[in-house]
Amino acid sequence: MTRRQKTTTYLIVVPFAILLAFPFFFALVTMFKTNLDLANVEHSPFLYNDLEGGFHWDFWNYATTEHVRFLFEETNYPKWLLNTLMVGAAVVGITLLLAMPAGYALARLAGGWGQSAGVAIFLVYLIPPTLLFLPLSRLITQLDLKDSLWSLILIYPSFTVPFATWLLMGFFKTIPQELEDAALIDGASRLKSLYLIVLPISLPGILTVVIFAFSLCVNEFIYAFTFISSSEQRTVSAGVPNDLIRGDVFFWQSLMAAVLIPTIPLALLYNAFLDRFIKGFTGGAFR
Amino acid sequence: MEAQAARAKPVSGRWRHALERRSVLAPLLIAPAVVFMALVVGVPFAWAIYLSFTDAIGGSLSGNWVGFDNFTNAWQDDNFRRALRNTFIFTLASQAVVLVGAAVLSNFLVRDFRGKWLIRFLVVLPWAAPVVLSTIGWLWLLDSLYSVVNWTLARLHLDNGLVWLLSAVNLEEDAQVPLQWLGRPNLALVAITLVHAWRILPFAVVIFIAGRASIPNEVEDASRIDGATGVKKLWYIDIPLQLPIALVAVLFGIVFTAVDFAVVYLLTRGGPFNSTQVLPTWAYFIGIDGGSLGEGAAISLFLFPLLVVVSVGMLFFARRAQVT
Amino acid sequence: MADVADELVRSSSALTRGDLLKKGTAAAFAIGMFGGLTDKSFGFYGPLKYANKQLSGELRIMQWAHFVPAYDQWLDNTYVKQWGEANDVEVKVDHINNALLYSTGASQVAAQSGHDLFWFISPPSTFQKQVIPVNDIVQEVTKKVGPMSKVARKSTYNPKTKQFYGFPDDYAPDPVQYRRSYLQEAGVSLRTWEDLRKGAPKLKAIGHPVGLGMSNEIDSNMLLTSLLYCYGGFIQNEENRIVIGQGANRKGAIEALQVMRDIYRNGMSDEVFAWTAASNNQAFLASRLSVALNAISIARSAENSGNTALSDDTWLASIPRGPVMRLGNEHVMGVFVIWKFAKNKEAAKKYLVDQQLGYREHFIRSQYYNFPAWTGAIKGGFKSIRQMTAQDTHKPKGKYTILTTIAEKYTTNPGHPGNTTPVIDEIFNTYLIPQMFAVVARGESTPAEAVSSFAQKAQGIYRKWKNQGLV
């Protein structure tokens, strides 16, 4: 790149990065702030101040880990993180189990109506979930899954499977038919060809599905909130607004810590897989 | 002869043979997904449609038939009409911001430069954060008293400039410093739009990057040979090639924003004075908190037909615009 | 009984949240209040016959996360355990954020399964058809301690169906909390709304404006409805018909709207449209606001913060008087319902009765937040309650006694002079009242138009619930 191109590049990406990431930097600072420092309108929100608002270079003496400690020791936050992880992993598994065969079938075997099926699948996302939780509550109760993480594991695939199917369908289409034909000629059955040939090549697509499905699970909160009532069984998106907001008191510092802690690993994960993800998308759900 | 052979095969062989046929294998592979979706989404959805034609209250899943009353009553309420209008505004405005932002940013993120990994990490953060948690964070950032946004603007001496700008574009006439991002209707609309855009932007950037990567190298080389550069290249080559991808990104963005409940509910609860209600939140306040469940169901379903038409249209258009 | 006293102190001091100062204060409070109560408080349950045994019954209770965390800790870890051991029932209590009580309740109704007892922060009249009437236990308690308070009765009784659909448990009066030094400095009195209207600009001038919210949350709802009462702008009449659009009510409502508009224009800023339920607390605790209308969570938070300059200067007063009357709403009306599908209705009923009869301790443990629905549940009624509140050691001494006056004379239910009907419930939960006030304050509508528009909406909602047979 030329010098000029380099400068313009930095001139664009750096401001974007700042705008997108500054709330998290701010959360990082806030989670260690003392109550008196935070409550004072005059004090800088980006620094740790003494009682008069002055800054000191040994700023760690004016910050506190009390709120983070509170988050981990006096709420069920660690349990929520674990629950979220478990639900996410299980749902990703179920999603792959349902979507891979369906995606393959629609890509290879369904011919003409595969296209329209793809569109139809997508339409599922347009159903507003705000009221669906009521009939689903009835379903959950009849299956005796109320107050259990299994209720979420059962319901979440309903919004991960359509996208996964659609994505995998497009991805499978880009795998040259010749590869499979060669395997078939060699005597393998269709199922075997799916297993031995197609799957390994579609790893990027699968990773894409994993990331996307996991992120959808972590973001969901309406079902997470209404299906599970006891605090220990909640996921992070349901537990945090419930336990860290008490009537008219917001535990701001703990809330900020709660935001940051799952986000950083997830962002690292997404970033690491970003190239694979791009390959997955390029695989072309649109061809 | 074939029939004889078929009869002669052992059962497992016949079964195996059947699996080779498309017409059997295809439905078999699709069936689990379809059955699952039908039970878990189809049935509740149908029930919600049923509820919207009844006078169900309080969470009860049945009521008396009232025909289209819920829909007409909703339409006559100006709060509902405003919610409908807002849903459009948030969705379209935020996606416009996302579209422009993602197009620009993706253009530069494909280049190689030092610190690329870090920049990418920072860009991905809004999308990685669970929406409930990041919105609560924004609640503090836009707080009426403690807003960090206002504090920063004040320290950079940009706040009065912003007030001037707002009245210059006729968005806010007599806003005062510190700006009440969640307390003035138009500012609240802007704030919510920007939070939506902030959240979706990383996702769109990634999709755009994917789209760029899918432009075959031959096209790049050919355009360079032909001397097409800069704006010309952008207009005649880049944009048409990226259009399908862009449409998909926009479509997802539209869908996620139009049915989103969390951002408006957590930031303003539809305020100030019900001026930022959107259909999902208004449906919730009427149907759940207000107890009129049938009416709430009708409100939440209002947008569905429209979204269907839009999505179908966009998807077919995307397919047609393919340059393979 | 020393070990029991230690138990009490330990359980309340070890379990308070927040920073060190808060812990110390709460512990001191506990010792101060509980020093003399140890023997009496356990006598009520009778012998704990089933202690350390396997309990045969099960009772599940859902209620809000009390703003006083120590109350919940005591309730969950001490009270329900002992009640359970005295009655052979395993009791489990779940707490959720009060904003999400309705959606959780709705999902339990949809599922036809859930908790036995469900507590709501305001009379859940929209759930009437999903619960069993509790006339029997209401009568039982009334026989023992006298009639329930008027606010409780109007909140839970439906004159149309002649049933108590909910069992009133507690209510919180809504006092004005103000910074005495600021009011003295600006020379402002809070006796009447007219005084407040005149005083608001003076307070704004010294940098400590009044904080009267007009936003989509509970504080604004309660405050603005109270303002309507004071000016005679009633939404309903005794027969629960919508009357705000006509006659004297219309006139009163218009005046109230004008008062609020003046206060906003000359004395407040746009922030009041953006507030959450916590915002007025936060602004008051940041020493910015001079006046707020809220349950005592503000005063208690001030004490817990350890900032004595703030807490000693925070005084309580009753709502200002309007030209027609001086009247305010309860800030919280805690009502328990027993779902039709509840599994253990017998235990649920006994639990409610026992809790009300022994309410003295709940009153103390909630730091006077929870007033009992039956005033007679505390022996000596309001007189006794006044004496108890007078014992609070925070300065200025006796500041909480005004709560008793407010509870006795100036507290009513939303929908006064009618009942808290589903119509009122829906109006509150869609924030139509703050909307009406805010559009007038911002000049987007004249008071007359706003009242007409509101009345029209209210009429529509009324028709809807009339068709359900509930009004």
Side-chain angles (χ1 to χ4, degrees), chain B residues 55 76 79 94 96 105 138 155 184 235 261 282 299:
Chain B
D55 65 353
Q76 281 163 3
N79 279 331
S94 66
L105 187 54
W138 275 106
R155 286 302 175 284
R184 296 185 70 104
W235 187 249
F261 171 80
W282 190 241
I299 294 172

Side-chain angles (χ1 to χ4, degrees), chain B residues 296-311:
Chain B
I299 294 172
S300 69
L301 289 176
F302 231 90
L303 210 51
F304 184 72
L306 187 65
L307 282 178
V308 169
V309 169
V310 168
S311 309

Side-chain angles (χ1 to χ4, degrees), chain B residues 40 71 113 131 181 203 206 209 217 229 264 285 300-302:
Chain B
V40 173
F71 293 92
F113 54 90
V131 62
W181 293 99
F203 174 71
V206 168
I209 293 182
N217 283 333
T229 52
V264 173
F285 284 123
S300 69
L301 289 176
F302 231 90

